[in-house]
Amino acid sequence: MSTQDELFSAVDALLEQVAQDDLPVPAERRRLREAAGLSQAQIAAALDARREAVGNWETGKTEPRSPKRAAYARLLEGLATRFPPSPADPPASVVSRPFNGPGPEPTPAPIAAPPSRPRTAAGSLTRLDASSRQTEAKKAAAKKTTAAAPTAVDPRFENGPLAVIHCENGQVSAYCVGGLVLDVPAKSIPALVDWTLAEAKLGQARLHRNGRDADPILVLTASALERYGLPATLSQEERHASRLLDNHKVVKQIAKAGLQLTQRGLGPWARVFREPEGSSRRCVQLCILPWNALDTREWGRRDDPQLLLTMHPADLARYLGLYAQRVMTPRGSTATTGLELMTALRPPTRAEKDPATGEFKRAFNEDALTARYDVVECEVPDEHPVLKGRFARHHLRTPAEMLMEEPYDWCRPLTDEECVNPYLVAVDINMSFAAAANALTVGLNGPTHLAGSPKFDPALPGSWLVDLSHVDLSRVRINGRTVDADRLPSPFTPKGDPPEGPAWYATPTLAYAVELGFDVAPREAYVRTQTGRYLDSWYKRLRDAYVDTMADMGVTTDLDGQEFLDAMAQRRQTDPTMALLETAIKATAKGGIGKLRQRSRGQVPYYEEYPALKRETWRPDIRAAVLANQRVGLHRKLMKTAAAADLYPTSIGTDAIVYPSPGPSPLDVLPRTPEGKPAPGTFRLGVSPGMVKHQGTQTVLWAEQQFEERGGVFNIANHIKTDPAAGEGE
């Protein structure tokens, strides 16, 4: 039988367990400490913890563990009894739970705001006008299959990731996501930054447990610039520098207030910050709309360059807020954001406790890009410093000197039999570069040189020097049928021409050659021995963002055939704001891959190092692998389509494929089984990445006329667009 002491110990253990599951939210922890006049150092000393740890508990970055958690809970319970919240304080009944899972922490969704809120210190709540409410109602009605968003809201960022700052009739307002509008008391840019840090409750929780929270973003409209003394446009000198000059009065105000700017200064995308408080960043990002912070080609509509400048602030907040929720908080251009998303989902470092000292130190994550490595000469663009002195200034490198893994740009003349068809129908692959990144194994470390005719290994990402001029596609049989190789592009060159000698190829290209049954005998190679599916989480987040956005416009994954085509044709009229979001998501996917091999924009002399080369994510080998995988994946479907229906493309532009057709619809040309299903392995209509949509239709007569006018130097795949906006991004 248990003794009394043992029973008491068991009860104490139960009480401690209850205490571990019952802590107030981080904001309430800080309020209680400040109400008692205690410092973080005092609490740390009482709990035998580090001051930084207490700061992390109060911001929600980490949670206390047993036995400190039980003692911390008891302290907070006592303080709560002595210092109850005042009626003016927001409710703090949400209980913080420890996260012990192996993967990324759940990301709260700060988009959805309650239907009504009490007046808070951040400002008074006003309701949107009737037209904006109708827009929200129409958006809710159009959404069909999107999964319900989580209802939990991080109290640190309860007003969303960003706000649009707009001035009307002398009153400055912050339009947040979910229809929330806050009164802004700040009279200057420094005061606006301090208000954002202290009261606005803007920002976004990190996407990975080892990452960091996103800084709040303030989008300044033209009226806000006038209110805060900023010019409506930059001068020619300022545009050249991409920033205000240091003698401008607002720049001086920022310095006088003790705030700092990054080296980019006060430009279209500016970061204004104070020194960190413990481990907490105190930074606000300014997105200055009239200074072309949001490029119309990526964020807006090319046929309406002024759209973003004339949008209602509430609609703009909804658009950018949804982008932040589904992709991430914008960081500049869509390409920059796409690259930052890779790092946010695969942080290079993590905190690791040193067992000897008990202190936390920085450790590297094996599934991330963690360092800069030596480059490979064949993988870099022409202006790279490593090529200085190697070639003449205007020398055009050959395939044996340069890895030329690019998407297709191929076109051929129509045969007499094809000219009998009245139409040319173009289909476009959804999110083709993102789809090519899915499940792709890439290198994570530096290159290893293999000389002396190494054996090809498809498991090793890298670049291989191989002669594929012996490849004859006319010998390839698909499903027991031989295809007409003369009417198909070669899978080994972007122009579709057969290889003429030794050339550098990425691993996916050579793996496809082996798949087709050809011998591959490398002469040398540069491979990466540490491998991983670095882009998987990046692809999945962009895929979900794209599919959810299309569902908001009525294009869902359960649609097929004519239903899908009709929904796609009407989607932009269903919700124009969602149409902008679709374009931005596609541009993020395409631009993020392009940033992996960002080229010099002329900021520095030829052959001099430029800023992009200092990034760990400047990895031209990964970009080459994605583009190679996209091109050979497209060719694989071309072969199966030709074998299934004796159907051959006339031109390909990146991810747009043109087929001669007896009718104007893709349903008139794409092969189907007797049961009415898409033929296996061929192009399939649908909304998911990797499936195809209708890009446009033209007549064969139009194509022949274009060839005559342009002298044959013409790819019709780039010009068949029923919708002028079709084909943007990917």
Side-chain angles (χ1 to χ4, degrees), residues 157-455:
F157 313 125
E158 65 178 23
N159 292 333
L162 53 85
V164 178
I165 307 299
H166 184 70
C167 181
E168 189 171 0
N169 299 326
Q171 172 61 50
V172 181
S173 301
Y175 290 80
C176 306
V177 297
L180 182 68
V181 184
L182 303 174
D183 292 335
V184 180
K187 306 294 185 183
S188 65
I189 290 293
L192 179 64
V193 171
D194 286 336
W195 171 82
T196 303
L197 294 173
E199 304 178 47
K201 295 186 177 180
L202 296 173
Q204 188 176 36
R206 60 192 184 273
L207 299 180
H208 190 282
R209 65 187 306 172
N210 295 323
R212 69 182 187 192
D213 299 330
D215 299 325
I217 287 186
L218 301 180
V219 182
L220 304 185
T221 65
S223 62
L225 295 190
E226 182 180 0
R227 174 65 180 81
Y228 290 119
L230 291 168
T233 59
L234 296 176
S235 67
Q236 183 175 355
E237 183 180 3
E238 291 167 340
R239 283 197 302 271
H240 181 73
S242 297
R243 57 193 291 177
L244 282 183
L245 301 181
D246 293 340
N247 60 2
H248 193 278
K249 64 177 182 179
V250 175
V251 178
K252 293 180 178 179
Q253 286 177 358
I254 292 173
K256 186 176 180 181
L259 293 163
Q260 300 180 54
L261 290 163
T262 60
Q263 292 183 354
R264 289 188 174 186
L266 187 54
W269 285 90
R271 291 187 183 273
V272 189
F273 64 95
R274 291 193 181 278
E275 289 296 329
E277 187 178 71
S279 60
S280 300
R281 286 167 57 92
R282 295 191 296 170
C283 180
V284 175
Q285 192 169 4
L286 302 180
C287 169
I288 304 180
L289 207 57
W291 296 358
N292 198 34
L294 300 178
D295 193 314
T296 298
R297 296 169 297 177
E298 303 170 346
W299 298 98
R301 289 177 51 182
R302 298 189 182 190
D303 59 344
D304 188 0
Q306 300 298 312
L307 176 63
L308 297 176
L309 298 176
T310 57
M311 282 181 71
H312 191 279
D315 292 332
L316 187 60
R318 175 182 172 234
Y319 166 34
L320 297 178
L322 278 171
Y323 180 90
Q325 180 195 28
R326 294 178 179 179
V327 181
M328 72 178 302
T329 305
R331 302 290 176 87
S333 67
T334 53
T336 298
T337 305
L339 190 70
E340 291 288 333
L341 180 62
M342 296 178 193
T343 305
L345 295 170
R346 301 280 195 188
T349 61
R350 69 183 187 277
E352 185 176 80
K353 191 173 184 178
D354 189 333
T357 63
E359 296 292 325
F360 282 91
K361 61 180 182 180
R362 187 177 69 167
F364 292 104
N365 293 317
E366 294 183 354
D367 61 351
L369 301 176
T370 58
R372 294 173 57 194
Y373 296 101
D374 294 336
V375 298
V376 177
E377 185 177 294
C378 68
E379 295 175 348
V380 301
D382 292 335
E383 67 274 13
H384 195 280
V386 76
L387 298 179
K388 188 173 184 179
R390 286 283 292 113
F391 304 103
R393 177 67 170 83
H394 298 289
H395 172 74
L396 295 179
R397 287 193 286 167
T398 65
E401 298 168 337
M402 179 181 183
L403 179 66
M404 295 183 179
E405 296 287 12
E406 300 291 339
Y408 272 128
D409 182 11
W410 171 82
C411 186
R412 65 169 175 83
L414 277 69
T415 65
D416 293 339
E417 294 81 4
E418 290 170 338
C419 287
V420 174
N421 293 285
Y423 297 103
L424 293 174
V425 174
V427 293
D428 178 80
I429 302 175
N430 300 322
M431 303 274 287
S432 66
F433 293 148
N438 183 33
L440 177 65
T441 300
V442 300
L444 301 178
N445 62 344
T448 298
H449 185 216
L450 304 180
S453 302
K455 182 180 179 180

Side-chain angles (χ1 to χ4, degrees), residues 67-97:
K68 294 182 176 64
R69 187 179 181 91
Y72 188 46
R74 184 174 183 181
L75 170 65
L76 295 176
E77 182 180 2
L79 294 179
T81 303
R82 299 192 59 182
F83 306 98
S86 65
D89 290 330
S93 59
V94 180
V95 174
S96 173
R97 303 289 183 184

